[in-house]
Amino acid sequence: MYHPPIGLRPKVAILSLFLLCLPWLGYQYVWEMEKYLRHGQEKTLEGTTQALATALHERPKLFDKQASFLSQVEQGRDLYAYPLASPIQLDGKLNDWAPYRHKSINYGLAHQIFKADENAPLNINFTHMVGKYAGYLYGYFEVTDANVVYRGKNSLSIDSNDHLAIATLAPDGKFRRYIVATTQDGWISAFELPEDPSLKIPVVPEVKIQGKWLKTDRGYNIELRIPLEMVGSKLGFAIVDVNDKKTRKIEAIVGTSATDTVDNLGTVLVPSPEIESIVKGMSHNSSRIWVVDKHGRVLAKSGDIHTSTNVWAQAAKETVNNSYWENFKQQYLHPLYYRILTTPPKNFVDSLKDSTVLEGSHIRKALDGKLGSTWRLTPDGKAVVLAAASPIWIDDTVMGVVIAEETTHGIRTLRNKALEKLFNVILTVMSMGTLALFFFASSISSRIRKLRDEAEQAIDSQGRIKQGIHGSKVRDEIGDLSRSFANIVSRLGQYTHYLENMSSRLSHELRTPVAVVRSSLEHLNAQSLPAQHQKYVDRAQEGVSRLNMILNNMSEATRLEEALTHADRDSFPLTKVISGCMQGYQMTYTKQQFELVITEAPLVMSGVPEYIAQLMDKLIANAIEFSQENSPIVVNLQAKGRTAQLSVSNTGPALPENMSEQIFESMVSVRPQQVQDKPHLGLGLYIARLITDFHHGEITASNIVQDNQATGVTIGITLPLSAA
C-alpha cells in the first residue's frame, strides 16, 4: 500500500525564513539610523559654515583688497597667485615651476596690446603664471622671440629694447609702473617709471624687484619676485618686443593687460592671510574650511579632511577591555565581519586639496543667498565627502562663500559598530538554530549520500546495470525518491539485458535458416535453369551473402568483448605496429592516397598489438568510406609526454551537431539513409572504443575547420606509454 510522503520542504522553508528575517530587519534598522546620522551631520556642518560666515559679514576691506567686487573675472587678464610649497630659486631655468606648469596660461594673438604693422604676423608669445610664498609674489615668463634685443650698455634708454613692463595699483592707492630690462643674461635690472603715464623719465632703480634673465633657444626666460607690500589689488604684465638693434623700434606688445593706466589693469588675487587667521581663530579645525569670493576663487583655506576630529569620529571611539569575549571578537569575529564591512580608509584621493577655484551646486546656491550642501564621492571611490556652504553678506550683497567639508568616516564607523553588535546577536541566534538543525540535516544528508552511493554502484562506466537499489520505507520525499530509483533501475536492468543478448540471439537464430536457404540456392544453381530464372537465383544468393555478413558483424563486437576479458598484455612498439598496418593499407587500397606522419621513437606501450591493428582497420575503413575522391587520408603518430597521440583525418562530410560522442556507441551510424553496397550496423567505431578502453586510452572525434567551414573529420586516440 502506497503512503504519500510527508513534506520536508515546508519545514525547511519556515525555519529558513525565520532565521533570515532577523538579519534583514536588523540591517534595515541600522540603515535607517545611518540616514538620520547623515542628515544630522549635514545640518551640523551647515551650522558651522553659518557661524564662520557671521564672523566675515560686513567686512568689505577683506574682499575689496582681493578684487572680489568685480562683476566678472576674465581668465588671463585677472591673475591668481597660486600658493607655492617652497620659495622659487631665481635662476631662469624654471625647474621649480614644474609642479605648477599645468596652471600657467599662454599669451599670444588673443592678448595682443600693440603691433606696429597690423598686416605683419605676430612673432612673439609667452607662457606665464604667478605664485605666492611668504611675503613675495613670484612669477615667470617663458618668452618665444626669434630676435632678442638687449639694452645697450652705454644707453640711458631702458625701453628701446626687449623688456617686461609691470604696472600695479599699490596698497597706498598710487599707480606705479616698472620696467625690467637687462644688458645681458643674468640678474635683472628693474626701474620705476614716473607716475604720469606720459612721462618715461626720470627713472629710479628698484632693487626690491629681483630676478634672472636667461636666453633660450626659443627666446628668453624671466624669473622674478616682488614683495607683496608693493602689489595692490590691480596688476598687469606686458612683454615689449624690439627686433631691430639699429632702429630699436617697438614692433609688438603682448601682455595680461595694458599697463598705461589704472583702468586698463587686470586684477590679482592673493590668498588672504587675514581671512585665514579669522578662520583658524574660530577653532573649527575639525573640518576643512574654504573661503572663496563670488567668482569661486579661494581666498583662504584651513584644515584637512584626512585628519578629521569631528564629533562623529569621536563618538565612534570605544573603550577596549581585555576580556575573553573582547579578545575573541578582535581575533576571530572582526576579520570575518570586515570581509563584508568596509573600514573607512585613512588615505584617499582628495581632488580638491590644492584647488584654487571651487565650484558646485552648493556654492551656486550659497551665491544666491541660501544655505547649500552636497555629497560627493572621491575619485578613487574610497570616501564620501559632505560639503556645506553659507553666503557672506556685505551691504545686502553676497561677496563670498564659506565652505566646510567633512568625510563620513565617523558615521561609517558608527554604522560598523552597530552592525558588529547586530552580527554578534545574529551569530548567537543562528548558532543555536544551527545546532538544532544539525541533527535533522545530518539524518537527511546521510540518507541522500546512501542513495547516491547505491545509484553510482548500480551502473558501471559502460552504462550496464550491476546491481539494484533497495527502496526505503520512510514516508518522505527522500524515501519516495529511493523507491522510484529502485523501480527505474530494475526496469533498465531488464531492458539492458535484453539489448545485450539481442545480437547474439539473432545471430544464433538466423544462422540455421540462412544455411538452409543457402544450400537450397546452391542446389538450384547446380541445375540448368533458363536465363530469366537464373537471375533471380543470383539475386537470392547475393542477398544471403549480405545477410551472412550482417550476422558476422553483429557477433564481432560480442566476441571481442569476451576476448578482451581474457586477453594477456605484453609490451610492444606502437610505432612498428602502425607502420606495418599502413604498409598493408597501401597495398590493399591502391587507389587511395595515404599520408603518414610518424615519430622515429618506438613508443613502447602495454597491450595487445593484434587489437591495435584491428583498431586501425576500423579507423581506416571508416575514413575511406567518408573520404572525398582524390583526397588523402592523413595518419599522424607523435609522442606527447607519457602518452602517444594517434590521429586519422579525412576530407569529407562533417559530423552532425552533438554526434561527436554518440558515434562511438553500439548500433549508431551517421551514414545517409540510402541503398549502400555494404551493410552497416554502426559497430566499427564502437569496436574502436572497446579496444581503446582496454588499453586505458581515450578516443575523440572532431571536425576539421578551415575558414569557419568544416572540411573533414579527425579521429584522435590517446594511449598511455610504458615507463622507460
Side-chain angles (χ1 to χ4, degrees), residues 380-392:
D380 57 357
K382 293 183 178 180
V384 177
V385 178
L386 168 63
S390 293
I392 301 173

Side-chain angles (χ1 to χ4, degrees), residues 166-177:
I166 306 174
T168 182
L169 180 62
D172 59 5
K174 293 183 179 181
F175 177 55
R176 300 187 185 277
R177 299 180 298 147

Side-chain angles (χ1 to χ4, degrees), residues 403-562:
I403 304 161
E405 293 179 323
E406 289 180 357
T407 64
T408 60
H409 286 2
I411 290 179
R412 290 173 64 184
T413 303
L414 285 173
R415 180 200 62 188
N416 289 347
K417 295 297 181 183
L419 287 175
E420 287 176 18
K421 294 180 180 179
L422 175 64
F423 289 162
N424 291 337
V425 174
I426 292 173
L427 185 62
T428 303
V429 174
M430 295 191 70
S431 297
M432 296 175 62
T434 301
L435 289 175
L437 293 173
F438 176 75
F439 298 102
F440 178 67
S442 297
S443 62
I444 294 176
S445 61
S446 62
R447 291 169 59 199
I448 294 176
R449 286 195 300 270
K450 180 180 178 181
L451 180 59
R452 178 205 61 191
D453 295 339
E454 289 182 353
E456 290 180 349
Q457 295 172 4
I459 302 175
D460 62 9
S461 59
Q462 303 299 326
R464 297 174 178 175
I465 304 298
K466 295 191 299 182
Q467 63 185 34
I469 296 178
H470 301 287
S472 175
K473 297 181 181 180
V474 180
R475 294 173 52 198
D476 58 16
E477 281 91 341
I478 299 176
D480 187 52
L481 181 63
S482 68
R483 291 188 290 273
S484 298
F485 275 11
N487 189 21
I488 292 172
V489 170
S490 176
R491 284 181 289 174
L492 282 176
Q494 297 175 6
Y495 183 66
T496 303
H497 181 73
Y498 169 75
L499 291 179
E500 289 176 347
N501 293 279
M502 182 178 67
S503 61
S504 59
R505 289 177 181 176
L506 287 175
S507 176
H508 176 74
E509 295 297 334
L510 292 177
R511 286 190 184 279
T512 299
V514 167
V516 172
V517 173
R518 174 176 288 179
S519 62
S520 300
L521 291 174
E522 288 176 353
H523 285 296
L524 283 175
N525 200 30
Q527 300 178 9
S528 227
L529 298 175
Q532 62 272 22
H533 296 164
Q534 184 64 37
K535 65 180 181 179
Y536 297 111
V537 174
D538 293 340
R539 290 180 183 176
Q541 285 183 332
E542 182 180 352
V544 170
S545 298
R546 290 171 61 88
L547 184 59
N548 189 60
M549 184 180 296
I550 291 173
L551 295 176
N552 291 333
N553 290 338
M554 290 175 63
S555 60
E556 181 180 8
T558 303
R559 293 196 306 269
L560 179 61
E561 288 181 345
E562 295 175 354

